[in-house]
Amino acid sequence: MLVMVAAGCTQGADKPTSDFKEADGKAAAQRWVTEQFTPSTLSKDQQLAEMDWFIKAAAPYRGMQINVVSETITTHEYESQQLAKAFSEITGIRIKHDLIQEGDVVEKLQTQIQGDQNIYDAYVNDSDLIGTHSRGDYVVPLSDYMAGEGKNVTSPTLDLDDFIGISFTTGPDKKIYQLPDQQFANLYWFRYDWFTDPEIKKQFKAAYGYDLGVPVNWAAYEDIAEFFTTKVNGNGTIDGKKVYGHMDYGRKDPSLGWRFTDAWLSMAGNGDPGIPNGLPVDDWGIRVENCRPVGSSVTRGGDTNGPAAVYALTKYVDWLKKYAPREAAGMNFSEAGPVPAQGSIAQQIFWYTSFTADMTKEGLPVVNGDGTPKWRIAPSPHGAYWKDGNKLGYQDAGSWTLLKNTPQERRAAAWLYAQFVTSKTVSLKKSIVGLTFIRESDIKSDYFADNAKKYGGLIEFYGSPARVQWTPTGTNVPDYPKLAQLWWQNVATAVTGETTPQQSMDNLAKQQDDILSRLERLSRERQGYGGQCAPKLNQERPAQYWYDQPGAPAPKLADERGKPETVDYDKLIATWKQGN
């Protein structure tokens, strides 16, 4: 998810003038802290002290206008409608915050980089681009900026250790390149009321021989999907209405790429163990050696077209066709997202927590009369190739990024805004509105402890030790925009039946290697591009050579189903609360 800050028309030519006075900022801070920024993990005095720092630090930049644009999610709507106004009133730096589609933001980002012109003053873009940013020469590493050029505009109360996603925005060189602004995970979603219904549980046990519960593995998920779609009450209905045991989307659309690059292959078990991402082979199937990407194809030591990846695509297509509503295959991400809230879906293996706010609205078929959800979320089940130590899911981390071709004063003003919208003064309230947590202190706040039952397990998940297994795309991916666009095009042909899953993944692996090869040539032609972490492809070897080596890629399993396993949700939550 991306947010950008557009440059104003002055471009730093003439020094802006302003009649804003420090007293105006103090009065505005008092008003916003009292009326809007509550609750907070800080006391009111601490909030006002933090705002006082922003007022003073902003003095050289008063009168400037910074134009901000972000992807349309609830968190960024709150920033646009409330925080931009608050920042302007408190600091005297004007903010215009527009909302556009994520793909459009990526396009603008690439235009600024390639055209070497300052279109925007700062960006909040997905930390998925960390491998791209850390290899390029266009990003200002925040570690360097905060210690040098930006020292005077870096808040003493920023508290980087409190950001739960800071490892996601750290490059191979251990420098921080981005600052998380919002985060959400993809988890397992299910109808708790149906799963705990004694008659439904009895029917499931009679049909499958084990207890209905949260599926630990894909074999159990598949059984549950089949049960609700075809067997519950004899005909796949509850209260006389048709229900489905799975929900997904399959239209040939860029959002189909997210469905896979957002860690679907790692959930199946491809790649190697490692947090936040597998090493040497990550969840895209890209192998690195000494931080250099060396290949995606199995013949180069990668795992993009290995048995685990093919298994992941096969199960996706099978479940979409057998257990989801017929119209799901023609939907994209945005169209499919609201469907579970309509009341006919029993479970969803790939559900983004960014939908939580919309799934708790009064009057929905999935919300009780007292406002508590009829659903719960839990860890995603894993596939047959998954191993202890592998990541288990994806976490989106939209993060602030500064570019070198932004004028210094504009960069400083934008950095102040970035810190303001992530500051402890405002972050708890922003977390309540958008439910996209970035700070440990917010997750552990009294507010969420007292109100956890409203959120269907979201608070318990973020407070649990399991959380660390949900991570974004990592540093093995050297050019996210170029590589990511390959995924939806190749997945789509498997959905339509134009290619088999194996052919789709073979094509994807080859195309990824072609791009890695072009980046390798570019690093030779432009000395310094990518540095010591530029791609350098391995020579191809027979696939069996790599299957015989330790780790990924793993050879095809004789049994890709395994024994189905479930766990009681309430017992799972109890272990989380005990720190296990």
Side-chain angles (χ1 to χ4, degrees), residues 183-242:
Q183 288 180 221
F184 57 88
N186 67 335
L187 296 171
Y188 171 74
W189 179 97
F190 71 106
R191 285 292 297 270
Y192 179 79
D193 56 336
W194 294 351
F195 275 53
T196 55
D197 182 284
E199 177 57 29
I200 292 176
K201 291 178 68 175
K202 181 180 176 181
Q203 291 178 34
F204 185 86
K205 183 72 173 281
Y208 296 95
Y210 62 95
D211 291 331
L212 176 61
V214 173
V216 174
N217 55 21
W218 285 12
Y221 183 86
E222 192 168 59
D223 286 347
I224 296 168
E226 178 187 60
F227 171 73
F228 279 102
T229 305
T230 64
K231 297 182 179 181
V232 65
N233 294 322
N235 58 359
T237 64
I238 294 178
D239 297 330
K241 297 180 180 179
K242 176 63 186 155

Side-chain angles (χ1 to χ4, degrees), residues 81-407:
Q81 296 164 11
Q82 297 292 334
L83 298 186
K85 182 180 179 183
F87 181 76
S88 296
E89 292 182 2
I90 291 169
T91 66
I93 300 171
R94 298 192 306 274
I95 298 290
K96 185 174 182 293
H97 191 147
D98 296 329
L99 303 172
I100 66 171
Q101 294 298 312
E102 178 184 2
D104 296 331
V105 178
V106 175
E107 183 179 344
K108 295 295 185 183
L109 173 65
Q110 292 178 288
T111 299
Q112 174 157 343
I113 294 166
Q114 295 166 3
D116 196 27
Q117 55 180 319
N118 186 51
I119 303 172
Y120 298 96
D121 297 317
Y123 296 70
V124 175
N125 64 276
D126 278 4
S127 72
D128 294 329
L129 278 82
I130 182 63
T132 316
H133 292 335
S134 62
R135 288 178 174 86
D137 57 359
Y138 54 86
V139 168
V140 178
L142 292 183
S143 296
D144 296 344
Y145 184 75
M146 291 183 288
E149 176 192 315
K151 186 175 182 179
N152 292 335
V153 287
T154 297
S155 170
T157 55
L158 180 58
D159 192 5
L160 290 174
D161 292 339
D162 195 39
F163 285 80
I164 61 174
I166 206 69
S167 66
F168 308 156
T169 61
T170 301
D173 55 5
K174 308 306 179 186
K175 291 183 180 181
I176 297 169
Y177 282 81
Q178 301 165 280
L179 182 72
D181 177 84
Q182 51 84 6
Q183 288 180 221
F184 57 88
N186 67 335
L187 296 171
Y188 171 74
W189 179 97
F190 71 106
R191 285 292 297 270
Y192 179 79
D193 56 336
W194 294 351
F195 275 53
T196 55
D197 182 284
E199 177 57 29
I200 292 176
K201 291 178 68 175
K202 181 180 176 181
Q203 291 178 34
F204 185 86
K205 183 72 173 281
Y208 296 95
Y210 62 95
D211 291 331
L212 176 61
V214 173
V216 174
N217 55 21
W218 285 12
Y221 183 86
E222 192 168 59
D223 286 347
I224 296 168
E226 178 187 60
F227 171 73
F228 279 102
T229 305
T230 64
K231 297 182 179 181
V232 65
N233 294 322
N235 58 359
T237 64
I238 294 178
D239 297 330
K241 297 180 180 179
K242 176 63 186 155
V243 299
Y244 298 90
H246 176 62
M247 182 59 201
D248 220 318
Y249 61 97
R251 184 197 295 178
K252 188 174 184 180
D253 176 89
S255 66
L256 187 58
W258 312 337
R259 177 61 181 79
F260 276 75
T261 59
D262 290 0
W264 181 243
L265 269 60
S266 75
M267 293 165 67
N270 99 313
D272 284 307
I275 300 295
N277 296 91
L279 285 173
V281 183
D282 73 350
D283 45 292
W284 282 37
I286 298 175
R287 174 180 287 270
V288 297
E289 295 174 2
N290 297 322
C291 85
R292 286 188 182 274
V294 296
S296 302
S297 302
V298 169
T299 52
R300 299 185 193 274
D303 204 9
T304 305
N305 61 334
V310 174
Y311 159 81
L313 179 53
T314 301
K315 288 300 182 186
Y316 159 78
V317 173
D318 286 352
W319 295 344
L320 178 65
K321 293 181 176 179
K322 291 179 180 178
Y323 308 125
R326 180 172 297 179
E327 57 270 23
M331 290 181 170
N332 62 21
F333 169 82
S334 299
E335 295 162 342
V339 172
Q342 297 167 10
S344 64
I345 306 300
Q347 62 171 359
Q348 185 167 339
I349 192 171
F350 201 87
W351 184 84
Y352 289 93
T353 62
S354 57
F355 291 118
T356 304
D358 292 334
M359 290 281 279
T360 55
K361 293 180 178 177
E362 185 178 347
L364 287 175
V366 296
V367 176
N368 292 310
D370 64 358
T372 58
K374 296 179 181 179
W375 51 267
R376 299 290 188 274
I377 54 177
S380 313
H382 55 72
Y385 289 84
W386 191 87
K387 304 163 288 296
D388 285 340
N390 276 44
K391 65 185 288 185
L392 193 47
Y394 173 80
Q395 188 151 189
D396 186 286
S399 305
W400 286 95
T401 310
L402 304 179
L403 300 185
K404 290 182 179 178
N405 60 9
T406 297

Side-chain angles (χ1 to χ4, degrees), residues 3 26 36 149 251 274 276 309 337 341 343 376 378 386 416 466 481 483:
V3 175
K26 288 181 179 291
Q36 179 63 233
E149 176 192 315
R251 184 197 295 178
R376 299 290 188 274
W386 191 87
L416 286 172
L483 291 164

